[in-house]
Amino acid sequence: MSGPKRATALLWAMTLLGAAGAAATFPLAGRERFWANWLFALLIVTTAGLGCLFLVALERVVGAVWSVPVRRVPERLASLLLLAAPAAAILLLGLPALYPWSRPEAATNRILAGKAVWLNAPFFSARTLAIAALWLLAYWILVKGSVKQDTNNDLEFTLRARRFAPAFLFIFAITVTLVAFDWISSLEPEWYSDIFGVYLFAGTFMAGLAASALGVVWLKENGRLPDVRPDHLYNFGGLLFAFTVFWSYIGFAQYLLMWYADMPEEITWYKARIEGQWLPVILLLALLHFVIPFFVLAARRAKSDLKVLKRIAILILFAHALDLYWLVFPALRKGVLFSWPEASFLLLAIGGGLLWARRSMAMGQDMPVGDPLLKAGLEFRL
């Protein structure tokens, strides 16, 4: 069996094994743990796909040319949103198991009763479905149109995409904030943070950058992007370095403000995440999500080194998954949970996501050959 076929067989084995373990979680480990893992896997897939779509739109808004030769990679990986949308709809079945505000006893809680106008099942469901629909619409306009341009050479599409991209950035800002507050923060609805949406944005963009960089490296290693040079890779490394700092700044700023204010309704969220079994997790998160990427990518040469970029991209994606785990699972108040249910959902998300990504890498040409800016992008020099 050839190397690619072995890799595909391994991914299928991971996915099927993960699906079997995930299905067994509901009857054997309980519905709360099942839906917490469902949310965790959903966030992994959603943030990676949404971060890639944001990167595509951002290129259109700023008129970047360096990224045109590699733009097809985030366009392809943005198709992960086609998996995330139905998975988000299925999450609505687990509201009573996960979210305290959706249970009948929430009416007796003064804080939850005061938030009932926003946190109620019909409105939450409508927001979730609207969010998924907006993502799919943006994907259809920005990505499907770009793929069609490979064959029809429609120069007007470039102008249409530029006009739509600013609108998508507004859609992105609203929807990623809603995901942060609805899907994650409302697991513990008594707590709130004004910048929690910014924190999730930083992680989402980093996931999109890392996934795109990894996809470019994979294509380069398979000889499919011979014209992409170290100058193009350097920009991926530079952006990852910059947003490593930004993510760390937002995370620390949020913690520092709450630590300084020392208000009971705010510190309980952090208390559950930095004490006891969770202390090693937050220290590991700081090491993997900030310390190592920061010092490795600080060197100029490392930003354009194919092997270094590949390893750092994998590390950042792993750290991002750990970050999402740290955001979700302490809400269960059961300590650090990681056994076969969590491993099964991880296998399902990673194996299924990689299978989908490998399939998507055949969509369209490896470069957007119909884009009028492609020639300028190939000539890009630092």
Side-chain angles (χ1 to χ4, degrees):
M1 186 181 292
S2 63
K5 289 184 177 180
R6 275 199 304 269
T8 301
L10 177 61
L11 290 176
W12 271 111
M14 288 174 57
T15 304
L16 295 175
L17 181 62
T25 300
F26 196 94
L28 298 180
R31 62 176 190 161
E32 184 184 41
R33 195 166 178 182
F34 173 87
W35 287 113
N37 276 287
W38 185 277
L39 175 61
F40 173 50
L42 169 62
L43 287 169
I44 291 175
V45 175
T46 299
T47 52
L50 189 58
C52 288
L53 191 57
F54 175 78
L55 186 59
V56 171
L58 186 63
E59 177 208 300
R60 299 285 190 181
V61 170
V62 302
V65 295
W66 73 266
S67 58
V68 175
V70 296
R71 194 185 66 225
R72 185 51 48 81
V73 172
E75 286 179 344
R76 289 165 166 172
L77 295 179
S79 67
L80 288 169
L81 292 174
L82 301 179
L83 296 177
I90 294 172
L91 177 69
L92 300 176
L93 300 174
L95 293 186
L98 273 183
Y99 298 98
W101 51 262
S102 65
R103 300 166 191 158
E105 59 268 24
T108 62
N109 184 308
R110 181 178 59 86
I111 297 177
L112 299 190
K115 297 182 177 183
V117 173
W118 182 264
L119 293 179
N120 61 81
F123 195 20
F124 182 98
S125 301
R127 291 196 302 272
T128 297
L129 295 177
I131 287 168
L134 287 170
W135 289 343
L136 294 180
L137 174 64
Y139 172 80
W140 184 264
I141 294 173
L142 290 173
V143 176
K144 286 297 184 179
S146 177
V147 174
K148 289 180 181 178
Q149 194 183 40
D150 288 350
T151 54
N152 62 21
N153 294 311
D154 180 12
L155 300 183
E156 288 297 317
F157 168 74
T158 301
L159 298 178
R160 292 196 300 271
R162 282 188 176 181
R163 286 194 292 266
F164 176 74
F168 173 72
L169 294 191
F170 176 77
I171 292 170
F172 173 83
I174 297 298
T175 56
V176 78
T177 302
L178 288 175
V179 167
F181 286 113
D182 283 358
W183 297 7
I184 304 175
S185 179
S186 76
L187 291 167
E188 298 162 277
E190 294 88 354
W191 178 81
Y192 69 93
S193 166
D194 293 337
I195 61 172
F196 192 61
V198 182
Y199 179 80
L200 185 64
F201 155 71
T204 297
F205 189 37
M206 283 195 71
L209 280 171
S212 298
L214 194 58
V216 170
V217 170
W218 184 78
L219 289 178
K220 285 282 291 179
E221 289 178 339
N222 285 272
R224 291 172 58 181
L225 287 178
D227 295 324
V228 169
R229 296 173 294 98
D231 288 348
H232 298 99
L233 298 176
Y234 180 88
N235 284 288
F236 275 116
L239 286 169
L240 283 171
F241 177 73
F243 270 83
T244 292
V245 177
F246 181 73
W247 174 88
S248 305
Y249 168 75
I250 295 298
F252 182 71
Q254 179 178 252
Y255 168 75
L256 184 64
L257 289 172
M258 293 189 178
W259 173 82
Y260 183 77
D262 199 24
M263 299 174 67
E265 65 269 24
E266 294 181 347
I267 64 172
T268 53
W269 191 87
Y270 271 105
K271 185 177 175 64
R273 285 166 172 76
I274 62 174
E275 293 184 353
Q277 295 180 338
W278 290 102
L279 179 59
V281 176
I282 187 63
L283 294 177
L284 180 63
L285 180 60
L287 178 68
L288 300 182
H289 214 314
F290 172 66
V291 176
I292 294 177
F294 178 84
F295 284 103
V296 170
L297 292 175
R300 180 179 176 86
R301 184 176 299 177
K303 294 181 179 69
S304 56
D305 186 283
L306 208 64
K307 292 182 179 178
V308 172
L309 197 59
K310 177 181 179 179
R311 291 166 184 164
I312 287 297
I314 293 173
L315 177 68
I316 287 174
L317 288 172
F318 175 80
H320 176 64
L322 181 63
D323 185 28
L324 295 173
Y325 176 83
W326 178 76
L327 292 175
V328 170
F329 278 86
L332 304 183
R333 296 294 192 267
K334 294 180 180 179
V336 176
L337 295 175
F338 194 86
S339 60
W340 64 268
E342 289 70 39
S344 297
F345 273 92
L346 266 180
L347 285 175
L348 177 60
I350 296 173
L354 288 176
L355 276 174
W356 186 274
R358 284 173 68 92
R359 174 183 172 275
S360 72
M361 285 298 174
M363 181 179 70
Q365 301 293 320
D366 285 338
M367 290 185 182
V369 293
D371 194 306
L373 296 176
L374 178 60
K375 185 175 183 295
L378 291 172
E379 295 171 352
F380 171 79
R381 297 289 188 277
L382 286 173

